Amino acid sequence: MEHTDKKTAFNQGLIIFIFLAVLTALEFFIAIVMDAVVLLIFIALIKAGLVIYYYMHINRLNREDDGPEESYSFKTNTNRLGMWLFLLSDSFIFGGLMVARINLLGLTRPHLDQSLGLVVTAVLLISSFFMNRAETAMEHGDRKGFLVGTSLTLILGIVFLLGVVGIEWPQAIHEGITASSGAAGAIFFMMTGMHAFHVLTGVIFLVIILRNGARGLYNEEKHWAVEAATIYWHFIDVVWIFFYPALYLIGELL
Amino acid sequence: MNKLKPIWRALLLLLMGGFVGYALGVGLDALIGGTVDFVAPISGVFSLLGSATAFFFGLIGYRGITKGLVYQIIGTFVGAGFVTAIRAFMGLETFGSFFFTEPAWVFGGLVGTLSFLSGVGAFADWYKWAKGESTPEHHQDPEGFIKYFGVSLDHKIIGIQYTVTSLFLMGVGGTFAMIFRTELAASRLQFLTTTFKAFDQNGLQFYNTLMSLHGMVMIAGILLGVAGMINYLAPMLIGAKDMAFPRLNAFSFWIAVPGALLLLSALFLGGFDTGWTGYPPLSTRSPLGIQMFFLGVYMVGWSSILGGLNLIATVVRLRAKGMTPFRLPIFVWAAIATSIISLTATQLIGLSFQLVMFQRLFDMGFFDGTRGGNPVLYQHLFWFYSHPAVYVFVLPGLGIISELLPVFVRKPLYGYRWVAMSSLGIALIGFLVWAHHMFASGLNEYLRVPFMYSTLLVSIPTGVKFFSWVATLWKGKISTPTPMLFVLGGIIVFLIGGLTGPPSATVSTDLHLHDTYFIVGHFHGTIFGGYVFPFFAAIYFWFPKATGRRMSEKLGKLHFWIMTPSFLVMTFAMMRVGLLGMRRRIADYDAMLGFDLTHLITTIAGYLIFISVAIFLYNLFHSMNHGEKAEGNLWNSRSPEWLVPSPMPVHNYDQAIEVVGEPYDYGLAGSKYVDFTNNK
């Protein structure tokens, strides 16, 4: 376990969040003023890299074992590898959807509500920030900070779900983009639906760790479930980092 | 006599359960149809479920798999009923020709699968974890054969569960092949002229369904067989106590069981006529059976994905001390290569099937050209998995060949590092070759040649393997007990399958060979050589490890000497008719083409293979209780699992293993592979 100071860790999370927020805003404005797909892909890659490195802590995969095979830390290292392998596998679904979107729509996009898209993206990004705070708090044994952070993440996650499924979907249908209207509608509902399904499972995961955390089942040494939920939640954010420009920003309106 | 009892009770109940299910199906059909129809289409699926449930009830009582099946039936009804209620509320059509409507069957199939898993108990520990309770690392398994019919966390039990399920599925798939091969024995239609009302299909549709299901049931069987070998062997070979995630391991096996049932239920729910590839737009218009096919493959796919995940984590984390990457057994290298494919690429066949499923359910236009969709997109997504999938099938088998060859040649394996890397090489190149299945699909011209060369590249690592095998055999002290016979047979058959690959991969020849029986001959050659022969070799070789008894050598040799010549005749005959213009997937051909005799020979050879496998199955089940005792290091192997008693103790090795030398240094004086340390 690296023993970084709690305050330093919180600050790092904040700085990364600011970077992500600025990049998202930049992305949005670039999409408005010019037609620069390569630049948008580049920004998305930077954002994903920041989340994967600083929020999902991919470098923890390199952690040395400091106990025998039966110890909690050894098993956590194994679990962490399993989790990342699962995400690798899962990313192939999203990759496949992205391929389908590029194949069917090319450099066009459906007519969607831009401000709503930006809002839900921001909501998911902020939820990632609080998730990071929650995990950092748990790592330093701050249970209250953990509970507050997780609750906020949970609420923002539900807001995201409501925003996409409850507002964006009916609006799209109202605009004539339905599941059966054509390839664009089909791809839009498939991509957002698959992502929303993952958000829903993430929300369930958060409810579980919130409940068990409130009952004091985790401590600063043993909190694998919290770490797993955190990695999963950030993964959902990474997926959206690519889906947001793919659905809202890239290409000309259909 | 006491041992026979449960099986007779089970068979009796199977009949009764089948009858009860049949009556239920007829009753439900009468409920919506108004008239009693004794060959109602849904009576088949209910008698299948009823007989399976009753069979296991007779065998083991209400626990384990029986409970799972009961839950699955109830879950299917609840799920389908839920959708039906919603449809009734929305004023949509509520009942179809298979009682429920298509969306109701799909949702019912999904809920049924989840219900099976909770009924059998695969979720139990995770549910407790979610509630914040901790569970013991290992459950105590019940004594006797019952332990194979419920959730167990022991990798050896799961490996045997996988293997037996695999043999069952391959038996079913083989039976399908026998039926349609009989029809193909002569030109003109013989017995497929009638309508099979119980299946709601006419003769030709029934042929298509059997042909398609032969493909996919075999593939499911092979995937489970691969998982069986990997599960049983990998932890033992690397000196681990178990897989890294035992619960996930059990889950991976048990999700395949309802998946296989869903797949088989396609036969009774109208079938499907697309072949195992399920290309749209045909698959968007197929009968209901195609949805069950999609769902079934989806579940078996998850089994494969999670099994691959588990294997990689196990090998990375739980190797014995001193087992450096280049001291890993070749089979484990092959298992890693396989798992990399199944972990990642499998998602894309799932996605492609899911997209067609959604196109059917919600009228989404992914593959509908009139609405901006693209049918070729499906083929890309599908083959991105389904080509590497054949490497999932053959790599473990090729690993088995490299693993067993030195044991029976008493010489070191030639070029260990090259062979280890060749498995990874095949797997990685396998990701770059998928479009060679699409040369005739209207693929962009400029994509053909790169995909041709990437495909031809596969022959290099495969050639490395062949070179190593031949060089290992060179001047060895060869002995030929049954496993070695199958290893040698595998090498020869795989050579034939392999050599017919390049002509199928080269654009100019493929445009002629595409969709002919030549491809069928090529495919069967690679799969028999790369999977079936090594799988049998592995069973003959490790059967004593699992049971403490050995299989009959006499019957084993009979099995080999019937199967090998028959198979060679069959595959060459298939290739011959293919070159002469026989299309694959069709029920009939013109007598004027002049290959009636070759087709007849193919069918007879197919029957002989079927008989030889029946001999094998008899040998397998007979030897479990009556085989010759074999408790020591029967094959004089260096591998650690043969240095401990058979059957293998529950946690594999009482003492920790330390690897101190190279794994395949047979015949070298003073060489040592493993040491048992006494520190625990």
Side-chain angles (χ1 to χ4, degrees):
Chain A
M1 283 247 159
E2 68 257 58
H3 279 284
T4 40
D5 181 21
K6 186 173 156 191
K7 200 161 179 199
T8 323
F10 271 151
N11 283 344
Q12 192 197 50
L14 185 64
I15 290 165
I16 296 303
F17 171 73
I18 292 169
F19 266 111
L20 290 168
V22 170
L23 284 171
T24 308
L26 192 64
E27 207 173 29
F28 188 73
F29 283 110
I30 286 174
I32 290 175
V33 295
M34 58 179 150
D35 186 20
V37 176
V38 179
L39 196 56
L40 289 179
I41 294 172
F42 186 64
I43 293 177
L45 286 172
I46 292 177
K47 280 169 74 180
L50 287 175
V51 174
I52 289 172
Y53 192 82
Y54 289 105
Y55 279 0
M56 295 167 83
H57 305 292
I58 191 170
N59 56 333
R60 283 184 192 166
L61 283 173
N62 294 329
R63 228 176 231 177
E64 296 289 321
D65 298 316
D66 51 5
E69 263 183 43
E70 293 75 26
S71 68
Y72 190 87
S73 72
F74 187 94
K75 279 186 183 154
T76 301
N77 281 352
T78 307
N79 289 343
R80 192 178 293 123
L81 176 65
M83 186 75 199
W84 277 96
L85 287 174
F86 175 75
L87 296 185
L88 175 69
S89 177
D90 212 8
S91 61
F92 271 71
I93 300 185
F94 293 113
L97 282 171
M98 201 64 127
V99 167
R101 181 246 176 267
I102 293 164
N103 181 288
L104 296 181
L105 303 187
L107 282 178
T108 58
R109 61 184 160 85
H111 185 80
L112 301 166
D113 187 342
Q114 284 296 341
S115 45
L116 187 60
L118 192 60
V119 168
V120 291
T121 306
V123 165
L124 202 59
L125 192 61
I126 298 168
S127 82
S128 256
F129 167 69
F130 282 115
M131 192 73 243
N132 176 261
R133 273 186 88 86
E135 192 204 14
T136 313
M138 180 48 82
E139 265 168 13
H140 294 89
D142 172 7
R143 203 168 98 205
K144 192 159 165 268
F146 163 76
L147 292 177
V148 172
T150 311
S151 311
L152 285 170
T153 313
L154 183 62
I155 292 165
L156 289 168
I158 293 169
V159 169
F160 176 85
L161 267 183
L162 290 176
V164 171
V165 179
I167 304 175
E168 181 71 299
W169 282 16
Q171 256 187 32
I173 290 169
H174 188 70
E175 293 273 327
I177 303 167
T178 64
S180 58
S181 64
I187 280 291
F188 167 71
F189 281 101
M190 195 68 208
M191 284 171 79
T192 50
M194 184 63 90
H195 184 258
F197 175 72
H198 280 77
V199 177
L200 182 66
T201 48
V203 163
I204 294 170
F205 208 165
L206 288 181
V207 171
I208 291 170
I209 60 161
L210 191 61
R211 178 168 174 272
N212 288 342
R215 289 159 67 200
L217 291 181
Y218 308 126
N219 58 38
E220 64 183 286
E221 299 293 324
K222 299 186 175 186
H223 58 268
W224 162 243
V226 174
E227 197 187 325
T230 311
I231 297 176
Y232 188 69
W233 192 261
H234 292 312
F235 173 71
I236 296 169
D237 194 25
V238 170
V239 171
W240 193 253
I241 283 174
F242 291 102
F243 274 21
Y244 171 61
L247 286 171
Y248 287 86
L249 303 183
I250 284 177
E252 289 166 23
L253 278 180
L254 269 177
Chain B
M1 214 41 216
N2 210 17
K3 264 177 194 142
L4 279 177
K5 237 176 157 183
I7 188 76
W8 287 118
R9 192 174 58 206
L11 287 173
L12 188 70
L13 278 166
L14 178 130
L15 286 175
M16 284 164 56
F19 190 74
V20 170
Y22 168 77
L24 182 68
V26 171
L28 284 178
D29 188 66
L31 200 69
I32 55 159
T35 51
V36 177
D37 181 0
F38 286 109
V39 281
I42 50 164
S43 56
V45 71
F46 284 114
S47 55
L48 173 80
L49 284 173
S51 54
T53 314
F55 174 78
F56 287 113
F57 182 71
L59 205 57
I60 56 165
Y62 185 65
R63 64 172 110 181
I65 186 171
T66 320
K67 205 171 159 193
L69 286 167
V70 170
Y71 271 56
Q72 186 177 10
I73 294 172
I74 297 171
T76 307
F77 269 102
V78 169
F82 176 69
V83 173
T84 306
I86 289 177
R87 287 177 73 88
F89 184 69
M90 289 169 68
L92 296 165
E93 195 190 353
T94 44
F95 293 105
S97 57
F98 299 102
F99 192 68
F100 291 120
T101 50
E102 183 172 315
W105 272 111
V106 172
F107 192 66
L110 193 64
V111 177
T113 305
L114 296 175
S115 311
F116 178 95
L117 289 166
S118 65
V120 83
F123 288 141
D125 279 8
W126 291 334
Y127 189 58
K128 281 183 192 154
W129 291 359
K131 285 198 297 185
E133 296 164 25
S134 57
T135 56
E137 186 67 356
H138 264 279
H139 298 286
Q140 189 67 43
D141 288 316
E143 283 296 308
F145 75 100
I146 288 178
K147 65 173 177 275
Y148 293 106
F149 292 94
V151 172
S152 166
L153 303 184
D154 183 347
H155 77 96
K156 295 183 290 298
I157 293 178
I158 296 173
I160 290 168
Q161 287 172 329
Y162 265 124
T163 307
V164 172
T165 319
S166 155
L167 288 170
F168 171 76
L169 281 178
M170 297 193 76
V172 173
T175 311
F176 291 161
M178 289 306 103
I179 299 172
F180 69 77
R181 245 352 288 184
T182 310
E183 172 61 54
L184 285 169
S187 52
R188 300 237 184 94
L189 287 181
Q190 279 78 35
F191 64 93
L192 289 181
T193 45
T194 53
T195 295
F196 296 86
K197 204 165 161 280
F199 299 104
D200 197 37
Q201 294 162 61
N202 68 30
L204 293 175
Q205 283 176 325
F206 195 58
Y207 175 91
N208 287 341
T209 305
L210 287 178
M211 178 271 298
S212 311
L213 273 179
H214 166 68
M216 211 30 129
V217 171
M218 281 294 190
I219 288 170
I222 291 172
L223 285 176
L224 298 190
V226 164
M229 288 195 278
I230 290 178
N231 256 296
Y232 191 80
L233 297 177
M236 276 180 356
L237 292 177
I238 63 170
K241 288 194 177 72
D242 207 317
M243 297 289 270
F245 308 113
R247 291 167 192 83
L248 191 69
N249 203 18
F251 176 83
S252 309
F253 168 69
W254 286 105
I255 195 173
V257 176
L261 265 180
L262 284 172
L263 190 55
L264 290 176
S265 73
L267 180 64
F268 300 97
L269 294 175
F272 59 106
D273 43 15
T274 59
W276 74 280
T277 52
Y279 276 9
L282 184 56
S283 57
T284 58
R285 292 169 204 158
S286 288
L288 170 61
I290 191 111
Q291 296 280 33
M292 297 293 122
F293 158 77
F294 287 155
L295 266 183
V297 176
Y298 204 80
M299 301 307 162
V300 176
W302 270 110
S303 161
S304 188
I305 291 168
L306 298 173
L309 189 161
N310 217 334
L311 185 274
I312 295 176
T314 307
V315 176
V316 172
R317 299 286 302 161
L318 301 179
R319 294 193 312 275
K321 199 175 159 201
M323 189 169 272
T324 53
F326 285 113
R327 280 176 179 171
L328 274 178
I330 290 291
F331 176 75
V332 177
W333 271 111
I336 291 176
T338 295
S339 301
I340 290 173
I341 301 172
S342 56
L343 173 72
T344 54
T346 313
Q347 296 285 9
L348 289 166
I349 192 180
L351 180 66
S352 63
F353 281 6
Q354 205 180 354
L355 294 183
V356 180
M357 187 186 269
F358 280 20
Q359 174 158 353
R360 289 176 63 108
L361 290 177
F362 306 117
D363 195 25
M364 294 167 104
F366 300 110
F367 308 120
D368 181 353
T370 60
R371 282 183 284 170
N374 179 10
V376 177
L377 169 65
Y378 173 90
Q379 299 180 22
H380 282 295
L381 295 175
F382 176 81
W383 287 115
F384 188 80
Y385 168 71
S386 296
H387 188 80
V390 300
Y391 302 132
V392 173
F393 308 157
V394 302
L395 285 177
L398 304 184
I400 293 279
I401 293 180
S402 298
E403 188 75 35
L404 299 192
L405 210 52
V407 180
F408 294 110
V409 180
R410 313 307 302 166
K411 257 183 71 190
L413 180 73
Y414 189 85
Y416 167 90
R417 283 185 183 221
W418 287 91
V419 179
M421 286 300 107
S422 71
S423 296
L424 276 185
I426 294 175
L428 298 180
I429 298 171
F431 278 99
L432 307 173
V433 303
W434 76 92
H436 67 224
H437 292 267
M438 301 160 61
F439 286 155
S441 72
L443 185 75
N444 289 337
E445 203 74 28
Y446 64 87
L447 284 175
R448 284 181 178 175
V449 173
F451 276 107
M452 173 179 108
Y453 280 112
S454 64
T455 308
L456 293 175
L457 210 57
V458 177
S459 60
I460 293 171
T462 319
V464 168
K465 285 186 186 292
F466 272 102
F467 186 69
S468 152
W469 295 333
V470 174
T472 308
L473 283 165
W474 184 257
K475 289 187 176 173
K477 289 185 198 144
I478 303 174
S479 59
T480 52
T482 315
M484 180 59 170
L485 283 179
F486 277 94
V487 165
L488 293 174
I491 292 176
I492 291 163
V493 171
F494 192 70
L495 180 64
I496 292 158
L499 286 180
T500 49
S504 315
T506 308
V507 179
S508 47
T509 37
D510 181 65
L511 291 179
H512 174 68
L513 296 171
H514 188 85
D515 253 359
T516 66
Y517 242 79
F518 184 83
I519 303 295
V520 179
H522 158 69
F523 183 76
H524 281 81
T526 52
I527 297 302
F528 263 77
Y531 172 77
V532 177
F533 275 81
F535 182 55
F536 284 136
I539 291 179
Y540 282 109
F541 188 82
W542 277 286
F543 184 84
K545 194 77 249 168
T547 60
R549 292 170 186 275
R550 67 185 292 182
M551 291 171 73
S552 156
E553 276 289 300
K554 219 188 240 169
L555 289 176
K557 288 198 161 130
L558 187 65
H559 170 202
F560 177 78
W561 287 112
I562 297 178
M563 188 166 107
T564 313
S566 314
F567 178 76
L568 290 174
V569 167
M570 184 181 92
T571 191
F572 282 131
M574 283 172 165
M575 289 179 199
R576 178 171 187 273
V577 293
L579 287 173
L580 293 175
M582 173 76 191
R583 311 250 308 136
R584 65 193 284 201
R585 298 197 173 115
I586 55 173
D588 195 20
Y589 47 93
D590 193 341
M592 291 299 283
L593 288 164
F595 41 61
D596 271 44
L597 180 66
T598 320
H599 264 301
L600 181 64
I601 291 171
T602 315
T603 303
I604 293 172
Y607 273 114
L608 286 172
I609 295 172
F610 195 75
I611 291 168
S612 73
V613 175
I615 294 171
F616 161 78
L617 289 177
Y618 169 77
N619 191 356
L620 187 77
F621 287 103
H622 186 76
S623 305
M624 275 178 199
N625 294 319
H626 307 287
E628 188 191 326
K629 288 228 182 238
E631 279 159 354
N633 190 348
L634 184 61
W635 313 108
N636 203 5
S637 165
R638 290 161 60 89
S639 200
E641 80 272 19
W642 291 102
L643 307 179
V644 295
S646 308
M648 201 75 181
V650 175
H651 288 295
N652 295 355
Y653 302 105
D654 294 338
Q655 301 157 324
I657 286 181
E658 190 176 348
V659 176
V660 293
E662 306 303 318
Y664 299 110
D665 281 351
Y666 287 92
L668 299 187
S671 70
K672 203 169 183 195
Y673 177 33
V674 288
D675 237 352
F676 288 97
T677 45
N678 266 320
N679 54 356
K680 286 190 184 174

